[in-house]
Amino acid sequence: MRMNKQIVATDWIKEKPKQGSFLKLTLSSDERRILRGKRLTDCDKEIILQLPRDGKLNDGDILSTNKSNFYVEIIAKTESLIEISSNSKVELIKTAYHLGNRHVEVEIEEELLFTKGDYVIENMLKNFYVDISYTQKKFFPEKGAHSHE
C-alpha cells in the first residue's frame, strides 16, 4: 500500500501556532475564493486545498493540514489595479454605482475606489469626473449583496 505524502490543507485555525512548519501560499483576490484544488506554494511545493465550502481565504489566514505541526499561511497577492479618486464625493459614488451595475469588483476606501484594470472599464471611467491612476497593491473587493461567501 502506497502512503499519501501529499500535503492537504483541511481547515482554518484561529491563531497562528508558536511552533511548527509553515508554507506560504500567495493568492490573487480571485484565487482566494477557490477553496478546493491543487496549488503551488511560494517555495514550489504542491499542496491540495480541501477546505469547507463556506468561506473565503483571507490575507494572513492559517490553514491546518493533514501533517502534524505543518501549516499553510495565506498571503494576498499584489495586483495591478486602477485607483479612482475625485474631488466630488457624489461623482465617486456615481462611479461606484456604475461599476457595481456592471458587476465589477470594487474595493472601497474613504476617498478612493480600486478595481482591476480593464480597457472597457477605463473607457467607461472617462464619462465621470474622476481621476484614475495605476497602482500595485493587495486587492480586497467588497462582498456583494448576494454574496454566498
Side-chain angles (χ1 to χ4, degrees), residues 87-103:
N87 291 331
S88 166
K89 288 190 181 204
V90 171
E91 205 60 33
L92 206 56
I93 291 168
K94 284 182 192 178
T95 303
Y97 170 81
H98 286 283
L99 288 169
N101 213 20
R102 286 164 179 77
H103 301 277

Side-chain angles (χ1 to χ4, degrees), residues 2-66:
R2 197 172 140 232
M3 286 188 59
N4 182 5
K5 295 185 181 194
Q6 186 75 46
I7 298 169
V8 181
T10 54
D11 210 346
W12 288 263
I13 59 174
K14 303 277 186 221
E15 293 182 27
K16 187 172 184 174
K18 295 188 186 345
Q19 294 183 357
S21 297
F22 291 85
L23 291 172
K24 294 189 183 297
L25 180 60
T26 302
L27 302 171
S28 70
S29 58
D30 290 336
E31 293 168 328
R32 292 193 310 267
R33 284 192 293 243
I34 302 168
L35 303 176
R36 306 245 165 169
K38 291 182 181 180
R39 301 289 183 279
L40 277 179
T41 65
D42 295 4
C43 64
D44 288 328
K45 179 88 173 154
E46 186 176 86
I47 63 169
I48 297 174
L49 297 181
Q50 282 187 340
L51 298 168
R53 295 185 189 274
D54 56 342
K56 181 180 178 185
L57 294 166
N58 295 302
D59 192 38
D61 281 356
I62 304 295
L63 307 177
S64 61
T65 70
N66 61 332

Side-chain angles (χ1 to χ4, degrees), residues 27-30 32-33 56-59 76-82 104-109 113-117 135-142:
L27 302 171
S28 70
S29 58
D30 290 336
R32 292 193 310 267
R33 284 192 293 243
K56 181 180 178 185
L57 294 166
N58 295 302
D59 192 38
K77 185 177 190 175
T78 299
E79 301 184 55
S80 297
L81 302 175
I82 299 173
V104 173
E105 290 186 312
V106 177
E107 179 179 341
I108 302 170
E109 290 189 5
L113 303 174
F114 295 93
T115 190
K116 292 182 183 177
T135 189
Q136 298 278 320
K137 70 180 266 333
K138 295 178 178 186
F139 186 44
F140 304 103
E142 290 292 315

